[in-house]
Amino acid sequence: MTNEEIIDLSEAHVLNTYKRFPVAMVRGDGVKVWDASGNEYLDFTSGIAVCNLGHSHPAVVWAIQEQAAKLIHISNLYHIRPQAELAALLTEKSFADKVFFCNSGAEANEAAIKLARKFFSDKGQRRFKILTMEKSFHGRTFATLAATGQEKVRKGFEPFLEKFTYIPFNDLEAVSKAIDSETAAVMVEPIQGEGGVIVPDKGYLKGLKEICVKRGVLLIFDEVQVGVGRTGKLFAHEHYGTTPNIMTLAKALGGGMAIGAMLVDDLVQGAFGPGSHASTFGGNPLATAAAMATVKTILNEGILQNCLTMGDYILAELLVLKEKYGFIKSVRGKGLIIGMEIDAPVADIVKGCLAAGLLVIGAGESVLRFLPPLILTAEDVDEMIRILGKVLDKV
Ligand SMILES: *Cc1c(COP(=O)(O)O)cnc(C)c1O
């Protein structure tokens, strides 16, 4: 099928919930993807921070093929080997004591919100309020919509699940003030992704933890976008010298397979027991085998170091562009989640890049976001900068 045929079929039958670009990608390899007409693109989106090892990484392909031939699904009525192994690996490499598996970021955050309430309910305490941040993004289900501090995402779906309050990111005093005797948890992305790649001030996340501990409130990190190597550490919070009670993962965890996870510390793990929460597909053999291969590869093959090196290189190159183009306001990020704030229509630049063979995305209204695979090379960065420069010349 050609691009046009796929687009016609899609527009005729798929519910129109996405603003899609008029191309259909049919193949990927590393940092490159190809559309149905054979056009090649340099992918600086990684399927929105999902394909951190690039497209069709051999370790992930092999794990999926091997597991699919053995056992695809069995249900959580029984123990599952790759699920147990993945949980062992994630807890070994993090603050966490136990892991719950589901299928997406929103589901992982739903689990976190439920667990926070159950933790206090079990103790007979009336704590059910959750503080989240302005410009945050936590998902599209009802609880996670309620948690999301962006009006444009929430509009039209009222009334929401109650007891969520939004406070400004990077403002410790606002947190102290907003916590009261009914507050159960503070939920925050260590780096805000959809909100515009907003990085935490020095000491912010550590300060949050101190306030939470002092006031008897749980801390939840939503690492759905920034976890699994994206920032150059396995988990983003490792950069900031602190840990949460609960952390959620999804996007990159399965190397492209749908999987979500909630990691919990020893303090809170007992709040869920048999019957508290469940998922039919959660942690199924195929998804967890893919995730196991993904996490092991990220940890074993110098990929985190490459992420840091390439992240620094991209930042430096973007700063050169900033000197040249007055409409670039700032460049920021950590590892390979990088945002460029521009005083020009981001959508036009994204379109221009696509036409020139480069995939990038926006974040918020004024930020161009770079989320390349962590395996990219300096030549890939040079090619990206060359294409981007050509597009910016026309702004
Ligand atoms: C993408 C994202 C989610 C939602 O994940 P889904 O898998 O789309 O449900 C939640 N939180 C953050 C920070 C995200 O980036």
Side-chain angles (χ1 to χ4, degrees):
M1 287 173 94
T2 64
N3 269 326
E4 289 67 32
E5 284 165 346
I6 297 170
I7 292 163
D8 284 349
L9 192 66
S10 170
E11 289 184 344
H13 302 290
V14 178
L15 190 63
N16 186 23
T17 60
Y18 303 98
K19 201 152 101 197
R20 297 180 200 259
F21 297 102
V23 284
M25 304 305 180
V26 294
R27 193 163 70 83
D29 183 11
V31 189
K32 300 262 167 71
V33 290
W34 289 267
D35 70 18
S37 304
N39 298 308
E40 184 179 295
Y41 302 87
L42 188 62
D43 185 3
F44 271 58
T45 67
S46 304
I48 318 186
V50 168
C51 304
N52 282 7
L53 289 173
H55 294 279
S56 296
H57 189 285
V60 180
V61 171
W62 191 81
I64 291 172
Q65 286 176 338
E66 201 208 24
Q67 187 59 50
K70 242 195 256 171
L71 184 70
I72 294 176
H73 179 82
I74 187 66
S75 91
N76 288 305
L77 290 170
Y78 314 103
H79 290 277
I80 296 170
R81 179 176 168 173
Q83 180 185 114
E85 288 173 336
L86 179 61
L89 180 60
L90 291 174
T91 52
E92 184 202 326
K93 299 295 177 190
S94 73
F95 69 94
D97 190 49
K98 291 277 166 60
V99 187
F100 173 82
F101 290 106
C102 50
N103 312 288
S104 68
E107 270 182 73
N109 287 333
E110 287 273 343
I113 292 162
K114 283 182 72 176
L115 184 71
R117 286 199 174 175
K118 182 82 167 25
F119 175 76
F120 290 107
S121 159
D122 283 354
K123 298 207 245 187
Q125 289 186 36
R126 290 178 47 79
R127 284 183 180 265
F128 29 63
K129 290 185 183 169
I130 313 242
L131 297 179
T132 67
M133 304 300 150
E134 290 167 8
K135 295 192 178 174
S136 61
F137 182 79
H138 297 296
R140 300 279 189 162
T141 61
F142 262 105
T144 60
L145 263 189
T148 291
Q150 296 189 52
E151 193 50 38
K152 68 165 197 255
V153 178
R154 296 154 45 87
K155 213 171 144 235
F157 298 106
E158 303 82 355
F160 294 108
L161 182 67
E162 293 173 70
K163 307 296 178 188
F164 286 83
T165 309
Y166 318 113
I167 51 179
F169 187 72
N170 272 333
D171 185 343
L172 288 175
E173 216 178 289
V175 179
S176 283
K177 267 198 207 140
I179 290 176
D180 65 22
S181 63
E182 293 187 337
T183 306
V186 175
M187 183 166 174
V188 61
E189 300 156 80
I191 297 170
Q192 291 190 319
E194 301 302 312
V197 190
I198 302 167
V199 291
D201 292 343
K202 201 165 179 287
Y204 173 65
L205 295 172
K206 222 172 161 170
L208 262 186
K209 178 68 180 270
E210 278 160 20
I211 293 168
C212 286
V213 169
K214 203 167 118 207
R215 310 283 294 273
V217 166
L218 300 177
L219 182 60
I220 305 170
F221 284 165
D222 176 346
E223 293 223 14
V224 169
Q225 185 155 154
V226 295
V228 199
R230 176 55 51 192
T231 65
K233 301 257 190 202
L234 188 57
F235 304 115
H237 67 262
E238 294 171 34
H239 287 286
Y240 303 104
T242 191
T243 53
N245 301 102
I246 304 172
M247 171 172 70
T248 55
L249 300 175
K251 290 194 166 83
L253 183 57
M257 289 290 294
I259 185 170
M262 171 178 68
L263 281 69
V264 298
D265 72 2
D266 185 46
L267 177 73
V268 299
Q269 58 94 7
F272 271 3
S276 303
H277 198 50
S279 165
T280 297
F281 288 119
N284 77 62
L286 192 60
T288 47
M292 192 66 191
T294 302
V295 177
K296 266 178 145 171
T297 305
I298 286 177
L299 286 171
N300 292 343
E301 298 191 7
I303 284 166
L304 294 175
Q305 186 51 52
N306 188 63
C307 174
L308 291 169
T309 311
M310 290 301 128
D312 287 347
Y313 185 40
I314 295 177
L315 271 181
E317 291 292 303
L318 292 179
L319 284 170
V320 174
L321 293 183
K322 179 170 176 280
E323 291 304 305
K324 189 167 168 201
Y325 304 100
F327 53 83
I328 300 176
K329 294 296 162 206
S330 79
V331 174
R332 59 199 181 222
K334 196 98 193 164
L336 288 170
I337 175 165
I338 295 172
M340 187 166 93
E341 179 129 23
I342 30 191
D343 195 6
V346 170
D348 292 348
I349 295 172
V350 172
K351 263 190 229 158
C353 287
L354 177 75
L358 170 66
L359 308 183
V360 284
I361 36 173
E365 244 132 61
S366 58
V367 176
L368 196 62
R369 185 169 31 152
F370 304 88
L371 296 163
L374 314 183
I375 53 150
L376 88 171
T377 63
E379 289 74 51
D380 296 323
V381 176
D382 294 340
E383 176 71 0
M384 180 277 282
I385 293 291
R386 191 185 62 74
I387 297 174
L388 182 64
K390 273 202 321 203
V391 172
L392 294 179
D393 274 338
K394 292 191 205 129
V395 171

